[in-house]
Amino acid sequence: MASPPDTSKTTKLERYNSYVRRVNSTKLLAASSKLLFRATLLIALILIFLFTINYPPFSDNHNSHHHNLHKTHNFLSSAFYGSGATWEKQVRRSSTPRRPNGFSVLVTGAAGFVGTHCSLALKKRGDGVLGLDNFNSYYDPSLKRARQNLLQKHEVFIVEGDLNDAELLTKLFDVVPFTHILHLAAQAGVRYAIQNPQSYVNSNIAGFVNLLEVAKNSDPQPSIVWASSSSVYGLNTKVPFSESDRTDQPASLYAATKKAGEEIAHTYNHIYGLSLTALRFFTVYGPWGRPDMAYFFFTKDILQNKPINIYQTQDDKEVARDFTYIDDVVKGCLGAIDTAEKSTGSGGRKKAPAQLRVYNLGNTSPVSVGKLVGILENLLSVKAKKHVIRMPRNGDVPFTHANVSQAYRDFGYKPTTDLATGLRKFVRWYVSYYGIQSRVKQEIHNGKPADSA
């Protein structure tokens, strides 16, 4: 009888092959791990290097941390936007005037409410306009993007960057010899300062100084028109508010930073010969407006049947504002630009005395917030759910009232839009922009045609 075949050699061979495979697999895994570790280490070292050159040492302070994050964004934005032939071509094309002796204007805060309207008006008359905006999220950035799209249709290019990015600003002035700056970028809002005070200092003081530093060193130096605020009058009780009235009692941090801006402007005018004009805006409203303003969120809440708070003063008087329609403010801004004299410095040195001006831009007829709500109720055909409450001590002032005689004398500023007319135009824009169909439509079209912008 034949003996069974000997399988021991085959089994040993299989075991050996299996062992070799395991060893090779282990070696491959080890090699991969080493490679991954080295790659990770290299990436970490690169990140630490970038972090070190762009960040100052950390502070325990939260605001310092926020500022550091802000600086990194600036570094990245200038690196991305501040170079390249296509970028430069867009910048040059947008800022080149189309009319004889036209201006070349840098508009900061160009995707903001007033910035958008002023940019459109300057472009339409043939001036070159270049926008600068950081598209922050203080209010809905999608509204700012929509304004950006509107400007793009009119061939206005917005550079996405920050006032505190000196490298980016210097690059812009290297590419374009701006004749004027319309400086509207700011951290706006009175009440938000309680939540985030540092943002007001970063934008309204540090950002303004950074812009002035670049402007004073440019050749030629541009003339600068910039947005101050009616809030600088603070607790002033003399009415109407005139430019010569005291402004040393700010009721909010926002007001204090705007007042600081006026003093800083005086300094740069005195030392460096920069031509500077401050415009104190009084409660600007209209299409493409800011969602944090009362007329805007009242409209939203009334349409959604939500209650609205109407403030009264501590002595039970109605709160009133000198509501100023956007088209009137734009005329004032352009009037200030057209009458701005040239700066007198060169190479950072003053050669002669330079122009320094301050103007109120208001409507000259304060209206109570209660009456504002009544007009909106009629336009929207909805009765508001009103809660009348005492005004909290959060920085708001009980009333504002502008004397605009100086602006009228110097550049013919004369507001022509009453609140009812202006709100009708705003509501017409609002229901169109947010796609609200309904009873609103018929009411808002009873009246004069609204402006398209």
Side-chain angles (χ1 to χ4, degrees):
M1 185 175 179
S3 61
D6 185 4
T7 58
S8 60
K9 287 183 179 180
T10 306
T11 304
K12 285 178 182 178
L13 187 61
E14 286 177 356
R15 284 177 185 167
Y16 176 74
N17 288 338
S18 176
Y19 168 74
V20 169
R21 281 196 298 272
R22 282 201 306 273
V23 168
N24 288 339
S25 177
T26 305
K27 283 182 180 178
L28 184 64
L29 189 62
S32 300
S33 298
K34 280 183 181 177
L35 188 64
L36 184 63
F37 173 75
R38 286 172 182 170
T40 305
L41 187 62
L42 182 62
I43 292 167
L45 288 171
I46 291 169
L47 288 173
I48 290 168
F49 173 73
L50 289 172
F51 184 89
T52 304
I53 63 171
N54 287 299
Y55 274 70
F58 271 117
S59 159
D60 292 335
N61 187 297
H62 167 77
N63 290 328
S64 177
H65 173 71
H66 174 79
H67 182 58
N68 291 338
L69 291 175
H70 194 57
K71 283 188 70 177
T72 296
H73 171 76
N74 292 345
F75 171 78
L76 293 172
S77 73
S78 68
F80 183 77
Y81 291 100
S83 60
T86 305
W87 180 87
E88 277 198 25
K89 191 176 178 182
Q90 286 176 304
V91 166
R92 289 183 198 277
R93 187 192 298 126
S94 186
S95 55
T96 301
R98 295 283 181 258
R99 65 182 174 103
N101 303 314
F103 300 141
S104 182
V105 188
L106 174 65
V107 179
T108 71
F113 171 34
V114 180
T116 295
H117 283 274
C118 285
S119 296
L120 284 172
L122 288 165
K123 196 72 175 182
K124 283 178 180 177
R125 74 177 196 176
D127 291 323
V129 181
L130 182 70
L132 176 70
D133 207 290
N134 69 358
F135 293 90
N136 68 28
S137 56
Y138 166 62
Y139 63 81
D140 183 10
S142 70
L143 180 57
K144 299 178 185 181
R145 295 296 179 186
R147 298 189 192 119
Q148 180 186 29
N149 291 337
L150 176 65
L151 289 177
Q152 204 166 357
K153 288 175 186 173
H154 291 84
E155 299 182 326
V156 175
F157 179 59
I158 298 182
V159 174
E160 190 166 345
D162 197 275
L163 284 173
N164 287 297
D165 188 345
E167 185 185 346
L168 175 60
L169 286 181
T170 303
K171 173 75 174 175
L172 292 177
F173 277 83
D174 286 343
V175 174
V176 181
F178 294 108
T179 60
H180 295 75
I181 298 173
L182 180 58
H183 174 49
L184 302 171
Q187 176 58 62
V190 168
R191 299 165 207 170
Y192 182 62
I194 293 170
Q195 299 172 43
N196 190 0
Q198 196 63 39
S199 65
Y200 289 79
V201 177
N202 288 342
S203 295
N204 303 357
I205 297 178
F208 189 32
V209 169
N210 200 48
L211 182 66
L212 293 175
E213 278 293 310
V214 176
K216 77 152 202 238
N217 291 322
S218 63
D219 188 19
Q221 289 180 338
S223 304
I224 301 169
V225 175
W226 68 283
S228 182
S229 169
S230 62
S231 67
V232 299
Y233 292 109
L235 303 177
N236 180 39
T237 54
K238 174 187 163 293
V239 287
F241 300 161
S242 300
E243 290 88 347
S244 58
D245 291 347
R246 66 183 295 182
T247 53
D248 60 348
Q249 298 174 296
S252 66
L253 180 62
Y254 170 69
T257 60
K258 285 299 186 179
K259 174 61 178 174
E262 292 187 2
E263 302 305 324
I264 290 165
H266 181 277
T267 304
Y268 275 79
N269 168 268
H270 173 68
I271 298 175
Y272 303 111
L274 283 174
S275 168
L276 283 144
T277 301
L279 302 176
R280 294 172 177 170
F281 295 155
F282 281 71
T283 317
V284 189
Y285 73 100
W288 295 100
R290 276 176 28 214
D292 64 317
M293 299 290 282
Y295 72 93
F296 199 115
F297 62 76
F298 280 173
T299 301
K300 176 172 175 277
D301 290 344
I302 290 171
L303 285 171
Q304 294 178 358
N305 284 311
K306 291 180 180 177
I308 60 173
N309 292 329
I310 298 178
Y311 291 149
Q312 284 188 337
T313 63
Q314 299 298 322
D315 52 356
D316 294 326
K317 291 180 181 176
E318 282 199 286
V319 172
R321 290 286 181 272
D322 199 353
F323 295 100
T324 313
Y325 188 63
I326 183 61
D327 288 2
D328 292 325
V329 168
V330 169
K331 287 174 189 170
C333 291
L334 269 58
I337 289 173
D338 290 340
T339 54
E341 294 174 4
K342 290 184 177 180
S343 294
T344 61
S346 178
R349 292 187 179 184
K350 181 180 178 180
K351 304 293 185 185
Q355 187 181 50
L356 182 69
R357 306 181 295 172
V358 178
Y359 294 106
N360 288 337
L361 292 187
N363 198 51
T364 73
S365 53
V367 177
S368 71
V369 175
K371 186 174 179 183
L372 164 79
V373 172
I375 295 170
L376 287 174
E377 286 178 319
N378 287 334
L379 290 170
L380 301 171
S381 301
V382 181
K383 196 72 178 169
K385 297 177 180 176
K386 292 172 273 195
H387 287 171
V388 179
I389 59 174
R390 289 278 175 90
M391 178 184 282
R393 297 188 185 279
N394 58 8
D396 273 323
V397 293
F399 59 86
T400 59
H401 184 184
N403 175 349
V404 299
S405 56
Q406 283 195 42
Y408 175 71
R409 179 195 69 205
D410 290 357
F411 46 85
Y413 174 74
K414 191 176 181 182
T416 58
T417 312
D418 63 78
L419 186 60
T421 303
L423 284 177
R424 175 175 277 111
K425 293 179 179 183
F426 164 72
V427 170
R428 191 182 302 179
W429 167 82
Y430 185 95
V431 298
S432 171
Y433 179 79
Y434 289 103
I436 301 168
Q437 309 298 323
S438 70
R439 56 193 179 277
V440 176
K441 288 287 184 183
Q442 186 178 357
E443 181 60 39
I444 61 170
H445 287 292
N446 293 333
K448 296 177 182 177
D451 294 342
S452 58

